[in-house]
Amino acid sequence: MPVPDVSSPPAGLPESALEGLGTRPFGVYVHVPFCATRCGYCDFNTYTAGELGSAASARSWLDALRRELELGAEMLGSPPSAETVFVGGGTPSLLGADGLAEVLDGVRSIFGLVPGAEVTTESNPESTSPEFFAGIRAAGYTRVSLGMQSAAPHVLRVLDRVHTPGRPVEAAREARAAGFDHVNLDVIYGTPGERIGDLRASLDAVLAAGVDHVSAYALIVEEGTALARRVRRGELPAPDDDVLAEDYELIDSVLSAAGLGWYEVSNWAAGETARCRHNLGYWQGGDWWGAGPGAHSHVGGVRWWNVKHPAKYSGLLADGRSPEADREVLTAADRHLERIMLELRIVEGLPLSTLDAGGLAQARAAAAEGLLEQSALDSRGRAVLTDRGRLLADGVVRRLAG
């Protein structure tokens, strides 16, 4: 397909942003906006078929996606081949294996993939099957991330999750049988009504699935969601910070004992090869093109994001126009803060050379308080969170940033 005639192209990137392109990690994120149902806690840019009606379809989205990828290659000039691809949403598995193969074909043919590229798709366990996993594996996907959230039926009901409790474990085993060495399960903790025994049962299920990666996130009550309305009406209690801390300590203890070590505050992996390289690119200051409705991109300190509604997104691209909604150029202070905020979250920590005199003083004080590892500070010149520091990571970031 030829590059469309762009009547209203996005503003070009400054030379300073393009200068280092290819020397930093480069990935492609693809946002699939479709979901079968809306979960009560979710504030992602997603739409059910009933919400969209005839305004947008998977076909119109796939066509628009390819046009945007072509615009991206044009805008970047000579874009580096993607080291990682991450298809998220939404529910990418609703596209089926053929749809996801078409997504990856677009990235491969327009941006290119480096040898050994990591290619991940998120999937809802209920919209997968052995045939689905075999199909996406044959298409070139190397990694699958499955939404489990909990093994407790009453917790799933609070979250408005539609899968049956045992299906995520079954799906993870099907993915491994299809040849996926790297499979992630997502867990949410701190849901109102979740007991410590419920969380233990969820962790037992995770380990029984034999996955090599786990992401565990504290429940956040986002404004505008059905869950927020229930909390506001007093139907459900808000998550308790002390309970969340206890839950996190249990998760870390169980996963660590099973050989899954933390490498980012909310992520555990069975060794370095099991880590999500795409997300590491975010945390380590890489570049990425974000394609799809509402997707965000970043190149060399310039960040931009697309219009949110799938119909508007597809319509703009069908007319040969950019779907970009707005952008910002990060200041030196912005980039400094983001580097501290992101790199401090990973197990290698933050180089002390990043900090100014005030930040260095705060790092030493935090180490004295048991929030940063004293040995890493002294021997490696890095600020590395301790177990206690991970519980208070946001506060440590604020201190080091000044």
Side-chain angles (χ1 to χ4, degrees):
M1 182 182 293
V3 175
D5 178 22
V6 183
S7 56
S8 299
L13 290 171
E15 285 300 319
S16 58
L18 294 172
E19 278 173 4
L21 187 62
T23 64
R24 302 177 292 267
F26 181 76
V28 174
Y29 172 76
V30 176
H31 185 73
V32 180
F34 309 113
C35 276
T37 61
R38 181 172 296 283
C39 298
Y41 64 92
C42 179
D43 73 336
F44 294 164
N45 187 45
T46 62
Y47 304 83
T48 65
E51 290 169 337
L52 286 174
S54 61
S57 66
R59 183 67 264 160
S60 65
W61 173 83
L62 282 164
D63 291 342
L65 175 71
R66 190 171 186 97
R67 291 188 182 100
E68 188 191 355
L69 293 173
E70 289 166 341
L71 280 176
E74 182 181 39
M75 180 173 168
L76 297 178
S78 299
S81 296
E83 299 170 38
T84 63
V85 178
F86 196 106
V87 184
T91 308
S93 47
L94 288 178
L95 297 174
D98 289 345
L100 284 171
E102 187 172 341
V103 169
L104 183 55
D105 179 68
V107 176
R108 183 188 288 114
S109 62
I110 295 166
F111 280 92
L113 299 176
V114 302
E118 175 193 88
V119 184
T120 303
T121 183
E122 294 180 340
S123 297
N124 186 308
E126 294 293 341
S127 52
T128 63
S129 65
E131 294 75 21
F132 168 83
F133 290 120
I136 62 172
R137 187 72 188 93
Y141 285 81
T142 66
R143 188 172 180 276
V144 173
S145 181
L146 295 161
M148 174 180 164
Q149 318 319 349
S150 175
H154 68 97
V155 174
L156 293 174
R157 284 194 295 272
V158 172
L159 295 173
D160 292 325
R161 293 290 295 184
V162 297
H163 66 256
T164 53
R167 178 57 196 155
V169 172
E170 185 180 17
R173 290 171 175 164
E174 290 170 357
R176 292 183 67 82
F180 283 96
D181 294 326
H182 304 305
V183 181
N184 170 67
L185 281 173
D186 281 345
V187 173
I188 289 178
Y189 61 95
T191 302
E194 182 181 58
R195 301 176 293 267
I196 196 70
D198 299 325
L199 181 56
R200 286 184 180 277
S202 296
L203 294 171
D204 288 344
V206 165
L207 298 180
V211 297
D212 68 343
H213 192 286
V214 178
S215 299
Y217 303 106
L219 179 67
I220 298 174
V221 180
E222 301 284 2
E223 281 302 317
T225 62
L227 180 63
R229 291 190 290 273
R230 295 183 69 187
V231 170
R232 190 165 53 249
R233 290 194 299 262
E235 297 174 15
L236 294 171
D240 182 278
D241 287 343
D242 291 336
V243 171
L244 292 175
E246 292 172 4
D247 287 350
Y248 183 88
E249 290 175 331
L250 174 64
I251 291 166
D252 186 53
S253 173
V254 170
L255 295 181
S256 296
L260 294 160
W262 82 279
Y263 72 98
E264 191 274 340
V265 169
S266 298
N267 290 273
W268 291 258
E272 287 192 28
T273 58
R275 297 177 180 182
C276 179
R277 287 157 47 195
H278 185 84
N279 287 341
L280 279 169
Y282 297 151
W283 298 319
Q284 295 175 334
D287 297 324
W288 70 92
W289 187 278
H296 285 232
S297 301
H298 171 267
V299 173
V302 180
R303 181 179 291 121
W304 65 97
W305 48 95
N306 289 341
V307 297
K308 287 188 172 183
H309 199 280
K312 185 173 184 181
Y313 168 81
S314 297
L316 286 168
L317 284 156
D319 290 341
R321 292 184 288 164
S322 167
E324 183 181 320
D326 205 354
R327 67 166 57 186
E328 62 179 337
V329 178
L330 302 178
T331 65
D334 292 333
R335 298 180 76 173
H336 177 70
L337 173 60
E338 287 201 359
R339 184 172 183 192
I340 295 172
M341 182 173 62
L342 295 172
E343 288 192 41
L344 190 65
R345 293 181 64 86
I346 58 178
V347 70
E348 289 80 10
L350 176 77
L352 294 181
S353 59
T354 306
L355 303 175
D356 58 20
L360 281 171
Q362 285 293 333
R364 296 189 185 98
E369 296 166 27
L371 301 174
L372 295 176
E373 291 183 5
Q374 188 68 57
S375 60
L377 215 66
D378 294 339
S379 63
R380 294 192 285 127
R382 302 186 78 88
V384 177
L385 293 169
T386 62
D387 292 348
R388 180 167 172 262
R390 278 186 276 158
L391 295 173
L392 302 167
D394 290 345
V396 179
V397 167
R398 287 192 293 270
R399 290 176 61 175
L400 300 192

